[in-house]
Amino acid sequence: MMEDAYQQYRPAWGYPPGQPRYPHGSTATVHPYPVPQPETNNPAPPPPPDPIHPPRASSHIGDVLAAILGVVILGGCIGSFCLIGIFTNYEFPSFSISSISVSRFNLSSTNLTADWDIVFSVRNPNKHHNVEYGTFDANVYYGSALLAKTTLSPFSQGKHEEIPVTISVAALSSYVNEDAALRLAADHARGSIEFRVRLLFSAVSIRSHSRGDSGPLLIKVWCVHVPVDFSSPQGSGLLSGAPRKCKVS
């Protein structure tokens, strides 16, 4: 009887020693290692989103005012630069010979006597500047030979104005080198002489009331290929053809 009971409760093969073998039908369960317990704590819920506030009307008004101010500042800067460009940029006046008359022309060997009356058309292309011309020199050449020269009085010119300027230059028994005298006599005998005229301005001011003046400028005016036709050896000579445009530098 005791042996039968021992056999009934003897550990089965494969069970760890010390663990009792329960009779058939028992609901107890034995584990050889600790069984992890399921987590019962739920994870914390995510934080609620930040509340959405509607934009305030004052911020929109500030943005509009800032944009208007930026446009006004930009427009002022552009306008200032335009005005500075208008009043500081200028052009030199233009010159052309409208008419020329040569009288008392007499060449004796290398001595020349003659009078030149020349009318220039002087145009000021600037719409915002007046031009003031100081005293200037007028020279008449045949080729590279200087025939006559004079100094003339100052004059002035308004904005975008075109005016006639008459100069008179005389040669009184002026010396002409022999080579130039021979060619000059030959051209006069053929009835046409080509002269050159130069004006030299040493003090020209291009002025604007709002921006001051350009300061004294040196301007050279060269009129080359100025043909004069003589009706007779003793007669006067006149400009041949259309007015002659001069180079200004």
Side-chain angles (χ1 to χ4, degrees):
M1 188 71 176
M2 295 290 293
E3 185 177 355
D4 293 339
Y6 174 77
Q7 291 293 336
Q8 182 180 358
Y9 293 100
R10 187 179 59 182
W13 179 262
Y15 282 85
Q19 297 294 330
R21 181 181 179 188
Y22 294 94
H24 180 70
S26 174
T27 60
T29 303
V30 179
H31 296 280
Y33 47 85
V35 178
Q37 297 299 320
E39 295 182 2
T40 58
N41 296 329
N42 293 327
D50 294 334
I52 300 176
H53 299 285
R56 292 179 299 176
S58 60
S59 64
H60 286 296
I61 295 175
D63 293 341
V64 172
L65 291 177
I68 294 174
L69 181 61
V71 171
V72 170
I73 293 175
L74 180 61
C77 293
I78 294 175
S80 298
F81 281 118
C82 290
L83 289 176
I84 291 173
I86 289 174
F87 290 113
T88 57
N89 293 333
Y90 54 82
E91 298 180 59
F92 282 168
S94 63
F95 290 75
S96 61
I97 293 180
S98 301
S99 66
I100 183 171
S101 173
V102 183
S103 59
R104 292 197 315 134
F105 187 90
N106 181 37
L107 179 61
S108 175
S109 183
T110 57
N111 295 319
L112 174 66
T113 297
D115 294 326
W116 290 264
D117 293 309
I118 308 171
V119 179
F120 284 88
S121 177
V122 183
R123 187 178 73 88
N124 176 13
N126 300 287
K127 296 181 180 180
H128 305 280
H129 298 80
N130 299 319
V131 184
E132 294 185 4
Y133 305 85
T135 57
F136 63 101
D137 297 330
N139 301 340
V140 178
Y141 295 85
Y142 174 74
S144 60
L146 177 63
L147 303 181
K149 63 180 181 179
T150 190
T151 300
L152 297 158
S153 300
F155 65 96
S156 60
Q157 190 173 24
K159 304 177 182 114
H160 215 241
E161 184 180 30
E162 186 169 359
I163 59 174
V165 176
T166 302
I167 66 172
S168 296
V169 188
L172 183 59
S173 297
S174 300
Y175 172 77
V176 181
N177 69 71
E178 185 175 355
D179 180 64
L182 291 173
R183 291 185 288 110
L184 184 59
D187 288 346
H188 185 249
R190 283 193 294 268
S192 180
I193 302 175
E194 189 172 272
F195 297 102
R196 301 169 65 206
V197 181
R198 188 189 76 166
L199 305 180
L200 179 61
F201 297 89
S202 59
V204 176
S205 295
I206 301 178
R207 297 179 178 275
S208 169
H209 293 299
S210 58
R211 301 296 300 179
D213 62 74
S214 63
L217 300 174
L218 175 65
I219 293 182
K220 297 178 182 179
V221 179
W222 270 106
C223 310
V224 297
H225 309 303
V226 182
V228 174
D229 291 342
F230 292 85
S231 58
S232 66
Q234 290 76 31
S236 298
L238 299 175
L239 178 66
S240 175
R244 300 290 165 164
K245 188 173 179 59
C246 305
K247 180 180 179 182
V248 180
S249 62

